[in-house]
Amino acid sequence: MKSLSKNWFIEGAIDFEHKKYVLLGYLQEINRHFDKNHLYPNLADLIFHYNNLLEFKNNKTVLQHSFPQRLSKADFEALKLTYQRMVQDDVTMNEIEHIIGYAMRKMDPAIQTGKQIYDFVESCLDIDPVGVVPLLPYNGYFTLRNGSQKTNWVYEYQITLFENADDKYRGIHISLVDTFEPNFVNTPESIKLQLIKNRKHLPNPAMYHVQSEISFPLEETLLPVAKRSLVRYISDAA
């Protein structure tokens, strides 16, 4: 995927026409992925850049704690020094604000398109518990069926809680365990019994069957949406 650097809008020559060319090339590729229903990593990357611009616009700098996953200490210090040099130059700052305003207006429709795809994929998902769910269902398995495709995937999952200064979040780590073709023998219930028998480290696992009515690109779309939907489903149920 063609990407933008973290500080693309203030790196190099601060020239609106050049930055416009860079941005439109990036958005053209993002939209090509969206046309194929490829959400990730495109939507997350686009939202990051939009929020980065918004933070700079609102504060005229980027706070390190706002981007803990993408902005290193070195990136932050370099950006702060750049800002300090620019803040005294009204012409440069006006050009940056012009770039930021244009970029945010152009990014917003693409973000809305990505969110519409995400909402549609999520609306096609059904999540059902398999058998008895333990009181603490934060470690277990889920099976995933992608529309009419014959192959089902079996994943082990682990949900973790992490927090920053403002809020708490749940994340999910998954690993592929196996695949199977569903039939009267290979049902989610029978797969669960096999997993308990063969994988002793989870003697009483939670298990869920996740199914999409429509086939979507697995790695780029269905699996990421299914993971987030499963986290919300388990969190709400717990």
Side-chain angles (χ1 to χ4, degrees), residues 73-119:
K73 183 177 180 180
D75 291 325
F76 174 67
E77 291 300 328
L79 189 56
K80 188 168 74 171
L81 290 173
T82 301
Y83 165 72
Q84 288 172 349
R85 289 195 301 269
M86 290 178 175
V87 74
Q88 298 177 12
D89 186 342
D90 291 339
V91 174
T92 299
M93 287 304 299
N94 286 337
E95 188 76 348
I96 291 172
E97 290 175 355
H98 187 196
I99 293 165
I100 288 174
Y102 177 83
M104 292 180 69
R105 289 193 300 274
K106 287 295 183 180
M107 286 180 176
D108 184 67
I111 291 174
Q112 298 310 314
T113 297
K115 288 182 175 179
Q116 288 172 5
I117 296 170
Y118 182 98
D119 290 342

Side-chain angles (χ1 to χ4, degrees), residues 163-182:
E163 54 188 293
N164 62 16
D166 301 315
D167 209 344
K168 294 182 179 180
Y169 302 90
R170 293 195 184 275
I172 184 170
H173 173 76
I174 68 170
S175 58
L176 180 64
V177 175
D178 204 352
T179 60
F180 69 97
E181 292 190 10

Side-chain angles (χ1 to χ4, degrees), residues 172-215:
I172 184 170
H173 173 76
I174 68 170
S175 58
L176 180 64
V177 175
D178 204 352
T179 60
F180 69 97
E181 292 190 10
N183 52 44
F184 69 94
V185 175
N186 285 335
T187 64
E189 290 78 10
S190 67
I191 296 299
K192 180 177 182 179
L193 293 176
Q194 292 177 35
L195 291 169
I196 293 172
K197 178 180 177 181
N198 298 328
R199 297 170 63 85
K200 304 296 186 183
H201 66 290
L202 290 178
N204 183 32
M207 186 162 173
Y208 299 89
H209 179 58
V210 184
Q211 178 171 324
S212 170
E213 301 172 4
I214 300 173
S215 297

Side-chain angles (χ1 to χ4, degrees), residues 3-231:
S3 61
L4 294 175
S5 68
K6 299 179 184 74
N7 306 324
W8 67 275
F9 58 101
I10 57 171
E11 287 178 343
I14 308 300
D15 177 74
F16 174 78
E17 291 301 325
H18 173 66
K19 300 298 185 184
K20 176 181 175 181
Y21 173 81
V22 171
L23 173 71
L24 292 180
Y26 168 75
L27 290 177
Q28 185 178 47
E29 182 153 345
I30 289 286
N31 286 318
R32 276 201 299 265
H33 285 287
F34 286 169
D35 288 342
K36 299 175 183 177
N37 286 330
H38 288 183
L39 279 181
Y40 290 91
N42 312 290
L43 180 57
D45 191 72
L46 182 59
I47 290 173
F48 165 80
H49 284 298
Y50 185 91
N51 288 337
N52 197 7
L53 294 172
L54 182 63
E55 189 72 22
F56 192 97
K57 176 184 176 182
N58 289 341
N59 298 291
K60 296 295 193 296
T61 186
V62 178
L63 303 178
Q64 185 177 17
H65 70 266
S66 299
F67 306 101
Q69 297 179 349
R70 296 288 299 271
L71 201 60
S72 69
K73 183 177 180 180
D75 291 325
F76 174 67
E77 291 300 328
L79 189 56
K80 188 168 74 171
L81 290 173
T82 301
Y83 165 72
Q84 288 172 349
R85 289 195 301 269
M86 290 178 175
V87 74
Q88 298 177 12
D89 186 342
D90 291 339
V91 174
T92 299
M93 287 304 299
N94 286 337
E95 188 76 348
I96 291 172
E97 290 175 355
H98 187 196
I99 293 165
I100 288 174
Y102 177 83
M104 292 180 69
R105 289 193 300 274
K106 287 295 183 180
M107 286 180 176
D108 184 67
I111 291 174
Q112 298 310 314
T113 297
K115 288 182 175 179
Q116 288 172 5
I117 296 170
Y118 182 98
D119 290 342
F120 176 70
V121 175
E122 189 175 47
S123 73
C124 293
L125 291 180
D126 286 317
I127 302 176
D128 295 300
V130 179
V132 178
V133 177
L135 291 176
L136 298 175
Y138 301 119
N139 201 190
Y141 303 99
F142 71 93
T143 58
L144 181 62
R145 183 165 189 174
N146 191 2
S148 60
Q149 295 182 17
K150 292 183 178 179
T151 300
N152 280 18
W153 289 263
V154 183
Y155 297 91
E156 181 179 342
Y157 74 85
Q158 182 174 6
I159 293 177
T160 55
L161 180 68
F162 58 96
E163 54 188 293
N164 62 16
D166 301 315
D167 209 344
K168 294 182 179 180
Y169 302 90
R170 293 195 184 275
I172 184 170
H173 173 76
I174 68 170
S175 58
L176 180 64
V177 175
D178 204 352
T179 60
F180 69 97
E181 292 190 10
N183 52 44
F184 69 94
V185 175
N186 285 335
T187 64
E189 290 78 10
S190 67
I191 296 299
K192 180 177 182 179
L193 293 176
Q194 292 177 35
L195 291 169
I196 293 172
K197 178 180 177 181
N198 298 328
R199 297 170 63 85
K200 304 296 186 183
H201 66 290
L202 290 178
N204 183 32
M207 186 162 173
Y208 299 89
H209 179 58
V210 184
Q211 178 171 324
S212 170
E213 301 172 4
I214 300 173
S215 297
F216 295 102
L218 178 67
E219 297 292 338
E220 299 89 348
T221 304
L222 181 60
L223 185 56
V225 176
K227 286 165 56 179
R228 294 188 65 176
S229 298
L230 183 62
V231 169

